[in-house]
Amino acid sequence: QVQLVESGGGLVQPGGSLRLSCAASGSIFSVNAMGWYRQAPGKERELVVIITSSGTTNYANSVKGRFTISRDNAKNTVYLQMNSLKPEDTAVYYCDAKVVSIAGRYQDVWGQGTLVTVSS
């Protein structure tokens, strides 16, 4: 069983910053790509950014220059530093990880989501 635990969401004023964390735990052999997605009220879930195990990143145009993803492979943890936040960044943010379990199974694992609210 592999789990993702997210933390760091909350309420922030426009222009402010937040840092999200997502840690994978359980019967893990390796963690490949990790990423962040978000879903705003009434909208579909969308990609924010992904990062491969080697560090290659792919950002959504809407967050380029404001958000930064990083990962600690030793801790199976990914971080999302969000700066210059805008009201339109308000959403539930979900962590995703492509994991190979100790049993050799490939799994696409999702976190429970953490709410980010940008409002004055």
Side-chain angles (χ1 to χ4, degrees), residues 25-104:
S25 63
S27 302
I28 297 171
F29 176 75
S30 65
V31 180
N32 299 324
M34 301 184 79
W36 291 94
Y37 293 74
R38 66 186 181 186
Q39 187 166 19
K43 295 188 177 181
E44 294 187 352
R45 190 174 298 188
E46 64 177 4
L47 171 70
V48 176
V49 58
I50 58 173
I51 183 169
T52 68
S53 56
S54 60
T56 301
T57 59
N58 182 28
Y59 289 89
N61 288 333
S62 59
V63 306
K64 282 182 180 177
R66 300 188 299 122
F67 291 10
T68 303
I69 191 171
S70 60
R71 64 186 285 173
D72 184 335
N73 289 332
K75 296 180 179 180
N76 291 327
T77 299
V78 65
Y79 306 94
L80 183 64
Q81 178 66 43
M82 304 185 293
N83 298 329
S84 302
L85 282 161
K86 304 175 181 180
E88 51 263 43
D89 294 317
T90 295
V92 177
Y93 284 70
Y94 296 92
C95 178
D96 172 62
K98 315 300 185 188
V99 175
V100 179
S101 70
I102 291 175

